[in-house]
Each structure stands twice: as structure tokens, then as C-alpha cells.
Amino acid sequence: MINESWQLAQGNEMIGRLYLSDVDQPWFMCTFEPAEGWEAVRSLFEEQSEAMKARDPRRIGISMSAINSLDLRLLPLKGGGEVAPVMIHIVEGEAKFRI
């Protein structure tokens, strides 16, 4: 993966932009800049964050399934191919994902 920035999209809707800040394999750490589609999915990411803080495996599984069902894609801002994240977390302007 050579790209350092991506658009996070659901279908034709842009959710936000991710800018790579660090890599801690298998995670890619990014800053997150919301776009017009963010409000439609924000509550799912907030629930995921709360479930993880509570260390509730059932809630974590449900929230991760809900996010995975969005079929999110990462579209590189500077050439290269699109990426489908296996896992993605977004909290307070920070994002991390695995591919």
C-alpha cells in the first residue's frame, strides 16, 4: 500500500477523508476529516467505540457487523487501487483500519 490518503466512501456517498499518520501493523493510523456522509453513519462508529470501552464482546460484535454491512471503500486520493477495509474504527478525528 503506497497511498497516504483516501476518501472513505459508501456507494457514491463520501463519508470522509483519511490521512495516514502512522502504521502499526496490521493497523494503519490516520487522522479523519468528516464529509457530508459522516452524519448518516456516525452513530454506528460511536456505538462501536462505546462497546470497546465497555469491553463488551457481544456489543463489539454487533457494532462491527453493522459497520461491515456498510460496504465501505477506501479510494486513494493519489492514484492506486481502491481498498476494502476489513476493520475500521473512527473516534474523535482519529481513524484506524486494517486491510
Side-chain angles (χ1 to χ4, degrees), residues 56-76:
D56 183 334
R58 183 181 150 288
R59 281 178 60 200
I60 291 169
I62 291 169
S63 65
M64 289 178 71
S65 290
I67 290 170
N68 285 340
S69 74
L70 297 173
D71 293 322
L72 298 174
R73 300 172 296 130
L74 293 168
L75 308 171

Side-chain angles (χ1 to χ4, degrees), residues 5-97:
S5 54
W6 303 264
Q7 289 183 356
L8 178 63
Q10 179 189 27
N12 293 326
E13 185 75 32
M14 187 167 65
I15 305 301
R17 289 185 180 84
L18 283 74
Y19 300 96
L20 188 65
S21 56
D22 196 10
V23 177
D24 184 10
Q25 284 293 345
W27 292 100
F28 293 83
M29 274 47 132
C30 303
T31 56
F32 176 72
E33 178 183 288
E36 60 277 358
W38 172 241
E39 288 306 316
V41 298
R42 174 187 283 217
S43 63
L44 296 175
F45 285 95
E46 289 173 346
E47 171 55 26
Q48 180 188 53
S49 177
E50 290 300 316
M52 293 176 77
K53 286 179 189 173
R55 297 178 187 220
D56 183 334
R58 183 181 150 288
R59 281 178 60 200
I60 291 169
I62 291 169
S63 65
M64 289 178 71
S65 290
I67 290 170
N68 285 340
S69 74
L70 297 173
D71 293 322
L72 298 174
R73 300 172 296 130
L74 293 168
L75 308 171
L77 294 176
K78 297 179 183 175
E82 123 180 359
V83 176
V86 173
M87 292 179 155
I88 186 166
H89 305 285
I90 301 172
V91 179
E92 299 175 9
E94 300 293 324
K96 65 180 182 177
F97 69 90

